[in-house]
């Protein structure tokens, strides 16, 4: 079943004229001027008067010949310099993540550990160039093979990081010279990830980890995820597990997880809140994640409390030997603090502790272990820059619903939607639109659409190797319905649902559906490594940003940075912004095609593919 506009959907723009051809035209015009100039012995003004109509004529002819792509002509008429393609950045920027320049922050006077925080002020400057892939870069393997074997040349890893000791790293092994294999899910559990997961399930009173989902554990935040193997295992149990870790210059946990096709984002516990609303996760996990939980007067534990839903779990496996007195001291301090915030130590086994957050909001105010004040106001639209708070959040929220009480289905019930102030009809309509849109976008993702015989929307799904999409970003996610559509179509993808700040804050709704997402200001770079997404999708983002006054060129350059070579971009918007973006894609060397929905609206699709550039 396809909705009516789909069958009428067709590609109306022809292939764009090759750049060489346009250049040839410019050159011919200049030759013409030169010829006319030299053949004329009269005064200067007669030359110009003779040349003018010719230029005009040529221009018109050009325009007629290339009506299919008048945008480039518009650019052409503004002068050849505007057509300049960006060059590749230097090798030192291969793994460049803006906003994390520690030495720059120190120079700017930022200290106390906050130099490791996100600071974007200085990152906006600098030359505009395209991030170059490493010399040995190879397109990742398809899911699920790519989860267990990655190309070592795609990451910035040092030899020591392969060989470093410790149980968490032993499961990393070098297969061949250029591949790294992770044996996390092979059934032998040499590495213990499965045993560990089962142990946690037992500690919270379940028979096995396959019962997590039914017990209300749907979303997990894995702080400092190592190589992501625990997350990979939980994902196989249908738990949305997102890895969050600090920016790391080499051996980045976030880069590695994303390379394996596992959800991850840069974030840290220093002075700011994580970019999530309160009551976001069912479980927060830290295995030797390096956070000094007893530091900062318990502010980091308060942040965990803020992020956990009522009845959610905090799983901690501290670093170091159990005999070390330092660790003993830290644990005592943590245990004292957890009593103040109404957490219940469910179990302790070996080196692992599991606490449960209270389901009773009034516990915080009737606590006889010492009161921590409730936060005054719910800070609704949080992004990366909200400072940590020394108070308890979320207790007055309508979303204060114990995880054990949530409905068992994967779609939200009308009552649950109303908690978010959303009309069920709106939501279901959006879901229908997303479902049919997905069917069409997906079928367009083939290099065929850039050829003379473009693929028609609704044609068969593209065959491998083009169908290699795992990490998807919805840059303007609204209710998260594209994500829901992907799930329903059983595509093996996960979606980073980005809610632009200043749009309606639907992030709580997205997270409550068991998806992942983040609030983000698209005038700034996204906290991820280069080449970490396979598909970027944005509906209505361009017109939103145009009204915000940020640079579309910078946005496209940022998209190019986070998109892997041969990755896809689908932009849906009204004609004006699409035309503008189409003209700019030439400069970042994307293949691009504008597609008319042909239903009388001025909505257009811009489908692009990033080429695999080496120079
Ligand atoms: C970091 O900041 C320093 C000082 O401002 C600057 O010289 C350097 O180029 C910056 N590094 C990057 C990668 O932007
Ligand atoms: C045309 O299709 C687009 C894409 O779904 C939709 O947003 C728009 O409302 C439609 N316009 C008309 C006039 O039907």
């Amino acid at each position: 079943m396809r909705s009516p506009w789909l069958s009428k959907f067709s590609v109306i723009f022809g292939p764009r004229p090759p750049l060489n051809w346009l250049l040839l035209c410019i050159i011919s015009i200049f030759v013409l001027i030169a010829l006319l100039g030299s053949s004329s012995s009269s005064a200067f003004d007669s030359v110009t008067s003779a040349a003018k109509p010719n230029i005009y004529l040529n221009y018109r002819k050009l325009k007629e010949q290339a009506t299919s792509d008048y945008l480039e002509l518009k650019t052409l008429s503004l002068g050849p310099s505007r057509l300049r393609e960006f060059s590749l950045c230097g090798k030192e920027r291969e793994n460049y993540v803006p906003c994390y320049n520690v030495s720059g922050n120190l120079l700017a006077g930022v200290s106390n550990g906050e130099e490791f925080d996100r600071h974007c002020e200085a990152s906006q400057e600098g030359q505009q160039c395209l991030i170059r892939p490493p010399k040995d870069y190879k397109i990742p393997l398809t899911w699920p093979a790519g989860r267990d074997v990655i190309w070592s040349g795609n990451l910035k890893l040092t030899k020591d990081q392969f060989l470093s000791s410790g149980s968490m790293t032993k499961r990393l092994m070098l297969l061949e010279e250029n591949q790294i294999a992770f044996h996390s899910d092979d059934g032998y559990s040499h590495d213990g990830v499965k045993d560990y997961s089962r142990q946690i399930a037992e500690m919270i009173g379940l028979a096995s980890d396959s019962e997590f989902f039914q017990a209300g554990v749907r979303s997990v935040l894995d702080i400092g995820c190592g190589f992501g193997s625990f997350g990979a295992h939980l994902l196989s149990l249908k738990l949305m597990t997102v890895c969050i870790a600090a920016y790391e210059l080499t051996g980045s946990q976030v880069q590695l997880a994303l390379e394996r096709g596992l959800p991850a984002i840069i974030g840290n516990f220093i002075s700011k809140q994580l970019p999530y609303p309160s009551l976001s996760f069912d479980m927060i996990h830290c295995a030797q994640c390096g956070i000094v939980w007893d530091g900062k007067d318990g502010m980091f534990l308060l942040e965990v409390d803020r992020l956990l839903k009522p009845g959610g779990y905090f799983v901690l496996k501290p670093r170091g030997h159990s005999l070390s007195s330092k660790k003993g001291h830290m644990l005592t301090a943590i245990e004292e603090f957890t009593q103040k915030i109404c957490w219940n130590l469910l179990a302790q086994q070996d080196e692992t502790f599991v606490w449960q957050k209270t389901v009773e909001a009034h516990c915080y105010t009737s606590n006889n272990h010492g009161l921590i004040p409730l936060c005054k106001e719910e800070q609704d639209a949080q992004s990366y820059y909200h400072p940590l708070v020394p108070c308890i959040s979320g207790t007055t929220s309508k979303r204060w619903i114990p995880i054990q009480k949530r409905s068992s289905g994967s779609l939200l019930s009308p009552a649950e939607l109303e908690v978010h102030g959303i009309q069920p009809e709106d939501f279901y309509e959006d879901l229908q639109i997303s479902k049919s849109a997905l069917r069409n976008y997906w079928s367009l993702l083939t290099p065929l659409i850039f050829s003379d015989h473009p693929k028609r929307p609704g044609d068969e799904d593209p065959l491998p190797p083009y169908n290699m999409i795992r990490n998807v970003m919805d840059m303007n996610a609204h209710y998260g319905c594209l994500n829901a559509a992907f799930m329903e179509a059983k595509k093996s993808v996960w979606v980073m649902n980005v809610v632009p700040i200043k749009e309606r804050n639907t992030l709580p709704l997205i997270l409550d559906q068991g998806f992942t997402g983040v609030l983000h200001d698209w005038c700034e770079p996204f906290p991820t490594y280069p080449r970490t997404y396979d598909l970027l999708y944005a509906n209505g983002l361009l017109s939103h940003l145009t009204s915000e006054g940020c640079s579309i060129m910078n946005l496209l350059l940022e998209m190019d940075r986070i998109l892997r070579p041969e990755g896809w971009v689908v932009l849906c918007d009204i004609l004006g912004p699409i035309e503008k973006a189409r003209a700019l894609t030439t400069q970042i060397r994307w293949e691009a095609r504008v597609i008319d929905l042909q239903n009388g609206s001025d909505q257009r699709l811009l489908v692009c593919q990033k080429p695999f550039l080496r120079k």
Side-chain angles (χ1 to χ4, degrees):
M1 280 284 292
R2 302 216 153 89
S3 78
W5 66 266
L6 303 176
S7 48
K8 285 193 264 160
F9 200 58
S10 77
V11 178
I12 57 154
F13 284 77
R16 70 187 160 98
L19 194 65
N20 299 352
W21 184 80
L22 287 171
L23 285 176
L24 202 69
C25 287
I26 306 173
I27 293 166
S28 351
I29 293 168
F30 285 130
V31 168
L32 203 66
I33 298 171
L35 280 175
L36 285 165
S38 61
S39 65
S40 164
S41 54
S42 63
F44 176 71
D45 53 17
S46 77
V47 173
T48 46
S49 66
K52 242 185 209 155
N54 276 304
I55 291 173
Y56 179 69
L57 257 175
N58 273 293
Y59 179 63
R60 237 183 54 178
K61 217 165 114 200
L62 259 177
K63 205 169 170 181
E64 278 161 12
Q65 283 174 359
T67 41
S68 62
D69 223 334
Y70 59 93
L71 292 160
E72 262 155 349
L73 286 169
K74 215 156 89 189
T75 323
L76 180 68
S77 68
L78 294 172
S81 67
R82 293 289 298 265
L83 270 176
R84 180 179 56 89
E85 289 185 342
F86 288 115
S87 52
L88 293 183
C89 309
K91 206 177 138 33
E92 74 288 349
R93 284 209 172 196
E94 279 171 5
N95 293 289
Y96 178 55
V97 182
C99 306
Y100 294 93
N101 183 344
V102 176
S103 58
N105 292 339
L106 286 170
L107 268 179
V110 182
S111 58
N112 279 334
E114 290 181 29
E115 65 272 21
F116 296 102
D117 254 340
R118 180 181 164 92
H119 294 274
C120 294
E121 310 84 29
S123 293
Q124 301 292 32
E125 302 138 30
Q127 95 240 62
Q128 290 185 315
C129 55
L130 305 172
I131 302 292
R132 156 202 308 273
K135 186 166 60 66
D136 299 324
Y137 184 84
K138 290 191 176 64
I139 304 294
L141 304 178
T142 47
W143 180 267
R147 176 190 57 201
D148 301 327
V149 178
I150 61 172
W151 302 110
S152 52
N154 289 8
L155 301 171
K156 194 165 177 188
L157 281 174
T158 59
K159 265 255 151 39
D160 312 354
Q161 278 158 338
F162 288 116
L163 304 173
S164 63
S165 57
S167 63
M168 298 306 277
T169 51
K170 274 189 192 139
R171 67 188 77 106
L172 183 72
M173 62 176 256
L174 218 53
L175 247 197
E176 281 167 26
E177 235 173 76
N178 57 355
Q179 285 187 330
I180 306 169
F182 304 88
H183 286 254
S184 58
D185 224 20
D186 57 6
Y188 299 105
S189 73
H190 286 310
D191 54 27
V193 167
K194 284 185 168 177
D195 289 343
Y196 179 58
S197 166
R198 195 176 320 118
Q199 181 190 18
I200 294 169
E202 285 166 5
M203 288 170 82
I204 68 175
L206 305 175
S208 86
D209 56 1
S210 58
E211 292 180 10
F212 273 137
F213 194 87
Q214 282 311 317
V217 180
R218 311 268 167 93
S219 61
V220 180
L221 183 69
D222 192 10
I223 305 169
C225 55
F227 304 120
S229 296
F230 182 57
H233 176 66
L234 293 183
L235 280 172
S236 74
L237 302 173
K238 304 220 174 338
L239 272 50
M240 175 35 107
T241 309
V242 59
C243 167
I244 194 153
Y247 169 73
E248 294 160 294
L249 206 54
T250 65
S252 159
Q253 304 170 71
V254 169
Q255 190 180 26
L256 207 137
L258 287 164
E259 186 69 21
R260 297 182 66 186
L262 307 171
I265 187 169
I266 297 172
N268 54 30
F269 283 78
I270 295 173
S271 63
K272 303 293 191 297
Q273 293 183 347
L274 294 186
Y276 303 107
S278 52
L279 316 181
S280 287
F281 295 95
D282 306 323
M283 180 182 281
I284 297 183
H285 173 253
C286 155
Q288 308 176 345
C289 66
I291 289 166
V292 186
W293 291 109
D294 57 337
K296 282 233 176 188
D297 301 326
M299 295 265 269
F300 299 144
L301 290 171
L302 280 173
E303 174 65 354
V304 170
D305 182 78
R306 185 183 74 83
L307 295 170
L308 275 180
K309 285 182 187 292
Y313 306 95
F314 178 51
V315 181
L316 176 65
K317 195 176 168 71
R319 198 193 292 272
H321 293 287
S322 45
L323 292 177
S324 105
S325 66
K326 205 172 157 201
K327 185 169 140 188
H329 180 265
M330 170 169 132
L331 283 171
T332 313
I334 294 175
E335 278 172 55
E336 274 171 21
F337 196 83
T338 55
Q339 293 184 346
K340 289 191 198 177
I341 53 177
C342 297
W343 290 4
N344 179 23
L345 180 61
L346 283 187
Q348 174 190 356
Q349 269 182 28
D350 309 331
E351 301 278 273
T352 308
F353 297 74
V354 180
W355 283 272
Q356 184 172 30
K357 174 172 168 168
T358 184
V359 295
E360 310 283 359
H362 65 74
C363 175
Y364 297 102
T365 46
S366 59
N367 191 340
N368 51 19
H369 293 282
L371 285 185
I372 301 214
L374 302 185
C375 297
K376 289 257 159 24
E377 216 172 282
E378 289 294 309
Q379 288 288 338
D380 207 25
Q382 340 229 5
S383 188
Y384 313 105
Y385 306 114
H386 197 276
L388 291 167
V389 290
C391 54
I392 304 280
S393 310
T395 50
T396 56
S397 168
K398 281 189 197 156
R399 293 172 60 239
W400 184 280
I401 301 167
I403 64 170
Q404 291 78 7
K405 284 197 185 153
R406 58 165 39 141
S407 63
S408 55
S410 49
L411 269 188
L412 291 186
S413 66
E416 285 169 312
L417 288 171
E418 267 155 29
V419 166
H420 295 271
I422 284 162
Q423 295 300 319
E425 308 83 68
D426 285 359
F427 181 84
Y428 294 118
E429 191 190 327
D430 205 49
L431 185 59
Q432 285 310 321
I433 294 173
S434 297
K435 280 199 237 172
S436 53
L438 172 65
R439 276 197 293 273
N440 286 278
Y441 302 154
W442 195 262
S443 71
L444 289 171
L445 304 184
T446 156
L448 270 183
I449 84 156
F450 306 117
S451 72
D452 285 340
H453 301 288
K455 195 173 170 326
R456 295 285 162 185
D459 285 2
E460 291 291 288
D461 276 358
L463 295 169
Y466 306 116
N467 192 359
M468 299 205 331
I469 290 171
R470 168 69 187 166
N471 299 356
V472 174
M473 181 184 284
D474 186 347
M475 300 172 70
N476 188 11
H478 200 46
Y479 298 155
C481 287
L482 187 79
N483 194 149
F486 268 120
M487 298 296 102
E488 203 168 286
K490 299 208 161 36
K491 300 286 185 211
S492 56
V493 308
W494 68 274
V495 182
M496 174 62 77
N497 294 284
V498 183
V499 178
I501 60 176
K502 299 195 183 139
E503 290 275 18
R504 177 174 178 187
N505 182 10
T506 50
L507 186 58
L509 171 68
I510 287 167
L511 297 171
D512 286 359
Q513 292 175 79
F515 303 152
T516 191
V518 69
L519 271 182
H520 179 74
D521 177 357
W522 277 118
C523 302
E524 289 185 357
F526 193 82
T528 193
Y529 288 80
R531 302 172 296 280
T532 41
Y533 285 87
D534 304 306
L535 168 66
L536 305 175
Y537 171 76
N539 186 356
L541 182 68
L542 295 175
S543 38
H544 168 72
L545 288 183
T546 311
S547 67
E548 288 292 297
C550 43
S551 151
I552 300 291
M553 189 70 249
N554 283 345
L555 176 75
L556 295 178
L557 281 167
E558 173 63 0
M559 289 166 70
D560 185 77
R561 183 184 72 86
I562 68 183
L563 193 63
R564 70 156 166 84
E566 296 179 13
W568 294 89
V569 175
V570 179
L571 300 172
C572 181
D573 220 304
I574 50 174
L575 187 59
I578 287 285
E579 280 179 353
K580 187 174 176 209
R582 167 70 182 87
L584 297 175
T585 56
T586 327
Q587 284 180 271
I588 40 177
R589 312 201 215 168
W590 291 352
E591 293 277 9
R593 193 157 192 131
V594 176
I595 293 168
D596 191 343
L597 301 173
Q598 292 208 324
N599 63 354
S601 80
D602 63 347
Q603 293 275 317
R604 294 289 184 278
L605 281 187
L606 179 61
V607 180
C608 312
Q609 189 179 26
K610 172 176 168 172
F612 194 159
L613 294 175
R614 296 242 180 237
K615 52 185 171 193

